[in-house]
């Protein structure tokens, strides 16, 4: 596995094929329950970013098939994550989650976009649009892009071409079927970016029921007690 500052933003991200990346975390009372397994996307501003290892289930991004997310309009996925899913966690675990700022303004779609182009618009120097402060989100497109080993899949590869063993096959985030990202397609009011089950990035209307893997930032006071990071011995 590679734990590197791949986005050159003082963050550190896990990259590599799933079997080679020991980034599992037990976030729950029963560590033998697969439902309590999460994986570390990376470390950002001294906070550890986790994604649920398995899907929470298939949910629509928005039943009205609208990808607008601003101060007055919230898509259904906001409530699914920050009420429905959040309320399944005990108060002890809720208190370990940092309230964070998420960029949900979206970006235009292009078949030639590289991970750096997605990153810049989502969270980097060219970000634009609405910011939501909340505890639970979803992966960014760029989270997936940077989870692939750069030595196997060139950073100049567009994410439409990630459906190969050298790209998707070298990403520990890949392999959970079709799932939503948090990023709307700002060039089409009903479309959201989706990690497809082939490993490439696609666009689907927000009314589809796709997999949801909640993402959260641990409070900076949280620390590791034990574990080696494997699925059978998580942190």
């Amino acid at each position: 596995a590679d734990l590197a500052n791949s986005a050159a933003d003082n963050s550190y991200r896990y990259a590599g094929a799933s079997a080679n990346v020991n980034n599992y975390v037990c976030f729950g009372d029963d560590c033998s329950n697969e439902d309590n397994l999460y994986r570390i996307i990376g470390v950002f501003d001294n906070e550890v970013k986790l994604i649920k290892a398995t899907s929470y289930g298939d949910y629509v991004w928005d039943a009205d098939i609208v990808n607008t997310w601003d101060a007055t309009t919230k898509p259904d996925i906001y409530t699914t994550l920050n009420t429905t899913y959040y309320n399944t966690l005990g108060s002890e675990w809720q208190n370990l989650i940092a309230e964070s700022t998420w960029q949900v303004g979206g970006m235009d779609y292009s078949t030639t976009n590289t991970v750096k182009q997605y990153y810049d618009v989502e969270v980097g120097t060219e970000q634009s649009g609405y910011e939501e402060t909340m505890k639970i989100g979803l992966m960014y497109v760029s989270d997936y892009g940077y989870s692939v080993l750069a030595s196997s899949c060139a950073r100049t590869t567009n994410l439409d071409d990630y459906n190969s063993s050298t790209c998707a096959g070298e990403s520990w985030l890949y392999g959970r079927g079709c799932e939503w990202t948090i990023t709307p397609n700002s060039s089409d009011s009903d479309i959201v970016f989706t990690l497809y089950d082939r490993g490439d990035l696609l666009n689907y209307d927000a009314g589809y029921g796709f997999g949801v893997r909640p993402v959260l930032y641990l409070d900076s006071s949280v620390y590791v007690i034990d574990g080696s990071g494997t699925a059978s011995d998580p942190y």
Side-chain angles (χ1 to χ4, degrees):
D2 180 28
L3 182 61
N5 184 14
S6 48
D9 61 351
N10 296 317
S11 68
Y12 285 85
R13 301 163 182 264
Y14 279 96
S18 185
N20 300 326
V21 177
N22 294 328
N23 60 347
Y24 285 91
V25 172
C26 172
F27 192 73
D29 292 323
D30 181 4
C31 293
S32 65
N33 184 350
E34 186 184 48
D35 204 43
N36 291 329
L37 281 182
Y38 290 70
R39 301 189 77 170
I40 303 171
I41 291 177
V43 181
F44 305 81
D45 297 324
N46 295 318
E47 291 179 345
V48 176
K49 187 177 186 180
L50 303 183
I51 184 170
K52 198 172 184 302
T54 56
S55 176
Y56 176 56
D58 290 349
Y59 293 88
V60 299
W61 209 87
D62 187 71
D64 293 330
I65 316 179
V66 176
N67 67 13
T68 301
W69 193 330
D70 56 31
T72 57
T73 305
K74 314 292 186 192
D76 291 331
I77 198 67
Y78 171 81
T79 303
T80 298
L81 293 169
N82 287 278
T83 301
T84 309
Y85 162 75
Y86 183 71
N87 287 339
T88 67
L89 305 173
S91 59
E92 175 187 359
W93 303 96
Q94 291 174 342
N95 292 334
L96 299 181
I97 303 172
E99 195 167 56
S100 302
T101 300
W102 301 75
Q103 307 293 335
V104 291
M107 68 175 293
D108 291 344
Y109 171 70
S110 170
T111 57
T112 61
N113 281 346
T114 65
V115 60
K116 180 64 163 58
Q117 289 171 301
Y118 281 108
Y119 172 86
D120 283 343
V121 176
E122 286 180 317
V123 296
T125 57
E126 300 173 25
Q127 63 185 250
S128 60
Y130 183 68
E131 296 180 342
E132 183 73 63
T133 300
M134 56 188 182
K135 284 201 167 186
I136 311 295
L138 295 170
M139 76 168 93
Y140 290 111
V141 171
S142 56
D143 285 334
Y144 173 57
Y146 282 126
S147 71
V148 174
L149 276 180
S151 58
S152 300
C153 179
R155 293 290 185 236
T156 54
T157 304
N158 68 75
L159 270 70
D160 270 28
D161 288 339
Y162 263 39
N163 56 330
S164 66
S165 59
T166 56
C167 290
E170 291 296 331
S171 165
W172 63 268
L173 271 173
Y174 168 67
R176 293 295 182 179
C178 299
E179 59 181 300
W180 292 119
T181 73
I182 201 170
T183 307
N185 180 341
S186 55
S187 57
D188 196 325
S189 63
D190 62 354
I191 300 297
V192 179
F193 289 104
T194 309
L195 170 55
Y196 199 50
D197 58 7
R198 295 186 307 239
D200 48 342
L201 185 73
L202 293 180
N203 288 258
Y204 277 94
D205 75 57
Y208 274 90
F210 284 144
V212 168
R213 280 202 285 168
V215 174
L216 57 92
Y217 292 87
L218 293 176
D219 185 86
S220 58
S221 65
V222 177
Y223 59 91
V224 172
I225 296 175
D226 57 24
S228 60
T230 63
S232 58
D233 183 33
Y235 297 123

